[in-house]
């Protein structure tokens, strides 16, 4: 099975998943916005050599939003890319309410790229390894 819905049991506490499992709302409040992470109900299958998903930004009032894969992030407020919270580097344009952000994992070429409103922003990560990614996800649990 491919990832289709969000896992209501494997997410940050300040995220709510809608009844159909497709929508996620951030419920944190205050000036200290916390990062939020959620996983899907199924991992990417090993035989899947190319995997792409999109997120519609419906409300980004605070101007900060990050898309994550394991611990990678593409930040809405500055367009920077984070890799395991160790590397921060300029990557793409900022994004806001109304934008659609996509992420492509290409296991054929071992690369990752993001899209903004259907436009490829270029490779952001090389040396992608499915087995390592899968192992990290199994071992790493979210901490609150």
């Amino acid at each position: 099975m491919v990832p289709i819905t969000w896992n209501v049991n494997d997410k940050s506490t300040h995220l709510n998943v809608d009844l159909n499992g497709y929508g996620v709302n951030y419920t944190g409040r205050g000036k200290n916005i916390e990062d939020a992470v959620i996983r899907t109900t199924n991992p990417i299958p090993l035989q899947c050599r190319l995997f792409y998903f999109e997120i519609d930004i419906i409300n980004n009032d605070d101007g900060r939003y990050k898309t994550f894969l394991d611990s990678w992030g593409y930040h809405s407020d500055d367009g920077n890319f984070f890799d395991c919270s160790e590397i921060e580097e300029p990557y793409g344009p900022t994004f806001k309410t109304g934008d659609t952000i996509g992420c492509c994992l290409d296991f054929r070429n071992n690369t990752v790229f993001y899209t903004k409103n259907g436009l490829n922003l270029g490779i952001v990560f090389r040396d992608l390894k499915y087995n390592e990614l899968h192992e990290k996800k199994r071992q790493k649990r979210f901490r609150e």
Side-chain angles (χ1 to χ4, degrees):
M1 291 183 117
V2 295
I4 296 174
T5 58
W6 298 112
N7 187 335
V8 298
N9 298 312
D10 201 359
K11 63 178 185 59
S12 299
T13 57
H14 43 278
L15 291 178
N16 284 335
V17 179
D18 64 17
L19 292 177
N20 65 19
Y22 298 129
V24 178
N25 293 310
Y26 177 79
T27 59
R29 299 284 183 248
K31 294 187 183 223
N32 297 325
I33 305 296
E34 297 179 44
D35 292 343
V37 181
I38 188 168
R39 292 192 182 141
T40 57
T41 53
N42 297 304
I44 299 168
L46 184 58
Q47 64 272 24
C48 185
R49 305 307 296 155
L50 189 68
F51 187 80
Y52 179 81
F53 67 94
E54 291 184 334
I55 299 172
D56 293 325
I57 310 301
I58 296 171
N59 185 343
N60 190 24
D61 286 341
D62 71 1
R64 290 179 283 180
Y65 186 84
K66 305 170 186 182
T67 58
F68 287 93
L69 173 64
D70 194 26
S71 60
W72 303 332
Y74 170 31
H75 292 209
S76 66
D77 59 343
D78 57 16
N80 287 351
F81 175 75
F82 275 75
D83 180 3
C84 299
S85 299
E86 296 172 8
I87 298 171
E88 177 182 2
E89 56 189 42
Y91 172 62
T94 60
F95 54 96
K96 61 188 179 327
T97 299
D99 288 328
T100 298
I101 302 300
C103 181
C104 182
L105 288 82
D106 185 343
F107 294 104
R108 300 167 306 173
N109 298 314
N110 299 319
T111 59
V112 175
F113 67 85
Y114 288 96
T115 63
K116 178 182 175 185
N117 301 324
L119 179 65
N120 185 333
L121 301 178
I123 294 171
V124 69
F125 188 81
R126 296 181 187 279
D127 201 27
L128 175 67
K129 293 181 176 70
Y130 178 87
N131 291 337
E132 289 179 13
L133 179 65
H134 188 66
E135 285 300 314
K136 283 182 192 175
K137 285 189 172 201
R138 276 198 307 202
Q139 294 171 4
K140 186 175 180 181
R141 302 308 296 173
F142 298 123
R143 295 183 200 126
E144 297 300 328

